[in-house]
Amino acid sequence: MAKTFFITTAIDYTNAAPHIGHAYEKILADVLARYHRLKGEPVFFLTGVDQHGQKVQQTAQKQGVAPAEFARNVTCSFIDLWEKLGLSHDAWAATTEPLHKRVVQNILQQLFDAGEIYKDSYAGFYSVRQEQFLTDKERGPDGEFGPEWGEVQEITEENYYFRLAKHRDWLLQYIESHPEYVTPAFRQTELRNAVERITGDLCISRPKTRLEWGIELPFDAGYVTYVWFDALINYISFSGYWKGAEPHNAEFDSRWPALHVIGKDILVPAHGVYWPIMLHAAGFTDAEIPPLLVHGYINSGGTKISKSLGNIVDPGLLADKYGAGALRYYLMRDTVTGQDMEFSEDRLVVRYNTDLANDLGNLLNRTLNMAQRYRSGVLKRPAAGTEWLAQTRSIAAQYAAKMDQYQVHAALETAFGLAARCNAYIETQAPWKLAKDPALAEQLDTVLYHLAETLRILAILISPVLPEAARGMAGQLNVNAEPRLADALLAEAALPEGHVLGSPTPLFPRVETGTKE
């Protein structure tokens, strides 16, 4: 049985409405999942919502509703948006599910029994916004805690601690021996520097006198679990871990480890420090530590888009206005994986009109129109393989290599280079002139075949990013709407002699800046 390509995203925190940053992360994960399905690999794509924590409890209290009801309402907004944007996830993680609670409590008990969790008292400062205890290293030059920590309370209380510092040297060694652990590579350097600064342990509980909205500790009913210790475990709880009496089973082992797609703001400490050490302490081997694909921020005016700054961009409204495909393409084409991206609605429209409406849509319409006008839609395949088609398949292979490296923007640039190549080919070959000379009939047939075959391959290459448009292209070309990547790389998959093309229907009607035509 082939190993499943397991991809998961950071689960969305239900104390805030979804914004363009959330959408970028989910679309990136969806594109990678669709690409690996295109390769013929079994795929398990997990996403979901983190529903516990002090901020959820406080916001629910302000609104006069129970935390569970508040979490359900916000969760619905995420579910609706991901459906609108065409996400193809295979499983949905919601941390209030009994399945998840059981796995979290099993792991807590396992670590407690192994001496990895102990009880101690603490007196110090606590950030309500970040739901973590602070030390002097979090203070600014003026000695104060910065605004990023929100409300900071001075408290004294007993809590349970996870022996984080005990595993510091193991994590440093793991990072050094696994240079592919974090992508892009410069984030791995950032993580290593953070691990070197680990000195203390992690508080993994909150007393119920202060917080009730969480998963109860199995060994002390007076406490609930720290939200990050709870939320991180979703990656294994919803993928089959501890499904039966034992932690590991065939289903889970066929999937794990998963590629985690996360934002750079939660690399340190949650995913890059807490999570691998939690797994290591629970008995996971080095080979079972999941790799991290870390993306940047979506900015507006040079500043990270966030609710607190009031510069939220609603991806649902953009999808309604321009279509989900336009938004998916823009975010994937204009964002270098791992880097920040400056959002611009005008740029979205330019990308749509230039790449989709002009280069690709116009190419499809022209090709099908010419094939219908000059050959009644019937193609004649060249007697032997041509250099044109060999180069087309070579470009498709370059696309695949970039996708394998998670460089979606570069893969799209490569794919749309085929469209530009075809448009230039039409101008140099001038099929309308060839059609007037019977002596050039064979050359016209070759040109039309080259264009149709390249469009067939293009429909395959764009399908992870533009699944609906790819199906529309396949329908007009009269080819398989559920192709494989191999169909773009192998000469044997080319359109057969006598293949009949369909009639064109515009897939990408042009839009004017700010409004649809």
Side-chain angles (χ1 to χ4, degrees):
M1 179 179 173
K3 183 78 172 179
T4 297
F5 179 77
F6 181 7
I7 183 169
T8 183
T9 68
I11 55 178
D12 297 302
Y13 192 48
T14 54
N15 197 45
H19 58 68
I20 196 73
H22 295 119
Y24 168 73
E25 177 175 288
K26 299 303 178 286
I27 292 169
L28 173 60
D30 182 66
V31 167
L32 295 176
R34 289 177 182 274
Y35 169 70
H36 281 270
R37 293 188 191 110
L38 194 68
K39 291 175 70 175
E41 298 174 359
V43 170
F44 186 74
F45 172 21
L46 173 69
T47 189
V49 283
D50 166 18
Q51 298 167 306
H52 290 128
Q54 188 166 356
K55 285 184 286 187
V56 172
Q57 178 175 292
Q58 289 179 338
T59 305
Q61 288 171 344
K62 289 177 182 177
Q63 295 186 9
V65 299
E69 180 183 349
F70 172 78
R72 278 196 302 271
N73 292 339
V74 178
T75 295
C76 287
S77 66
F78 283 101
I79 293 173
D80 291 345
L81 178 60
W82 302 154
E83 182 177 350
K84 180 181 291 187
L85 295 182
L87 294 198
S88 61
H89 49 277
D90 300 289
W92 178 261
T95 57
T96 52
E97 290 290 328
L99 172 152
H100 177 70
K101 176 181 177 181
R102 181 175 62 82
V103 175
V104 170
Q105 290 183 325
N106 282 348
I107 291 175
L108 284 166
Q109 189 67 57
Q110 174 191 355
L111 294 175
F112 183 75
D113 293 344
E116 295 285 356
I117 294 175
Y118 63 93
K119 194 175 187 180
D120 202 357
S121 60
Y122 174 85
F125 296 91
Y126 179 78
S127 164
V128 176
R129 173 184 292 175
Q130 302 298 337
E131 303 195 36
Q132 72 180 70
F133 291 97
L134 306 179
T135 63
D136 285 340
K137 68 181 181 180
E138 275 82 45
R139 294 182 186 273
D142 60 357
E144 300 294 326
F145 295 107
E148 68 273 17
W149 300 109
E151 178 188 357
V152 176
Q153 301 173 346
E154 187 171 9
I155 61 175
T156 300
E157 64 184 23
E158 281 192 315
N159 268 304
Y160 287 89
Y161 291 81
F162 171 57
R163 297 187 187 280
L164 195 75
K166 169 185 173 181
H167 302 281
R168 170 186 174 274
D169 290 345
W170 165 80
L171 184 53
L172 282 173
Q173 181 276 328
Y174 178 82
I175 292 171
E176 289 297 328
S177 60
H178 294 79
E180 74 290 349
Y181 174 43
V182 181
T183 301
F186 70 88
R187 294 290 179 203
Q188 180 126 328
T189 302
E190 174 187 322
L191 174 60
R192 183 178 63 250
N193 293 338
V195 175
E196 288 174 347
R197 295 193 295 270
I198 294 176
T199 56
D201 292 334
L202 173 65
C203 178
I204 56 92
S205 71
R206 302 292 183 263
K208 284 187 177 178
T209 53
R210 183 156 61 85
L211 174 64
E212 294 184 345
W213 182 238
I215 296 177
E216 186 179 282
L217 297 186
F219 45 80
D220 192 331
Y223 292 83
V224 298
T225 313
Y226 171 44
V227 66
W228 270 115
F229 205 93
D230 154 15
L232 289 164
I233 292 173
N234 95 89
Y235 299 125
I236 56 178
S237 64
F238 289 95
S239 52
Y241 188 70
W242 228 312
K243 196 171 185 178
E246 297 296 325
H248 284 267
N249 56 72
E251 178 182 88
F252 176 74
D253 290 341
S254 72
R255 294 170 176 166
W256 195 260
L259 173 68
H260 289 356
V261 178
I262 64 170
K264 66 180 183 181
D265 54 332
I266 54 174
L267 170 63
V268 177
H271 287 81
V273 179
Y274 300 163
W275 185 222
I277 289 179
M278 286 164 61
L279 291 171
H280 176 69
F284 281 66
T285 67
D286 285 8
E288 294 171 325
I289 302 301
L292 306 174
L293 176 58
V294 184
H295 64 79
Y297 291 150
I298 304 297
N299 295 331
S300 179
T303 304
K304 177 189 175 186
I305 289 175
S306 71
K307 181 179 178 182
S308 60
L309 295 175
N311 60 348
I312 290 294
V313 175
D314 187 334
L317 293 179
L318 290 171
D320 290 339
K321 191 173 185 179
Y322 302 109
L327 180 60
R328 287 173 64 100
Y329 179 76
Y330 165 64
L331 290 176
M332 292 300 100
R333 181 64 182 84
D334 267 26
T335 307
V336 177
T337 308
Q339 303 291 334
D340 290 354
M341 179 259 213
E342 182 70 20
F343 176 82
S344 164
E345 188 172 347
D346 287 344
R347 177 67 175 166
L348 184 159
V349 173
V350 169
R351 272 291 179 203
Y352 176 91
N353 283 337
T354 302
D355 296 3
L356 301 182
N358 290 357
D359 291 352
L360 181 57
N362 191 44
L363 170 64
L364 178 65
N365 288 340
R366 293 176 79 187
T367 299
L368 294 178
N369 273 320
M370 289 188 296
Q372 292 294 340
R373 183 181 307 123
Y374 305 138
R375 292 294 184 264
S376 300
V378 180
L379 295 177
K380 289 191 176 181
R381 186 173 181 174
T386 66
E387 181 63 23
W388 170 275
L389 294 178
Q391 289 178 0
T392 298
R393 289 190 292 273
S394 174
I395 293 170
Q398 295 170 30
Y399 158 95
K402 291 177 171 64
M403 288 292 286
D404 286 335
Q405 298 168 359
Y406 312 134
Q407 297 301 310
V408 180
H409 70 287
L412 284 173
E413 182 178 11
T414 299
F416 276 77
L418 285 174
R421 182 167 173 252
C422 284
N423 284 317
Y425 183 58
I426 290 173
E427 297 308 312
T428 57
Q429 293 296 315
W432 51 91
K433 293 182 180 179
L434 299 177
K436 296 176 181 179
D437 188 346
L440 299 176
E442 183 176 343
Q443 184 178 346
L444 174 60
D445 287 333
T446 299
V447 170
L448 293 175
Y449 185 89
H450 283 169
L451 294 174
E453 172 62 6
T454 304
L455 280 164
R456 182 191 69 83
I457 291 173
L458 255 173
I460 296 171
L461 302 188
I462 69 168
S463 63
V465 177
L466 296 163
E468 292 301 321
R471 280 190 283 272
M473 286 182 65
Q476 294 183 38
L477 293 167
N478 195 24
V479 296
N480 182 12
E482 301 296 334
R484 305 168 303 156
L485 180 63
D487 296 334
L489 303 176
L490 301 176
E492 303 83 65
L495 293 170
E497 170 71 17
H499 180 82
V500 180
L501 298 173
S503 299
T505 301
L507 287 177
F508 306 106
R510 284 181 58 83
V511 300
E512 299 302 328
T513 303
T515 60
K516 259 193 172 179
E517 276 191 343

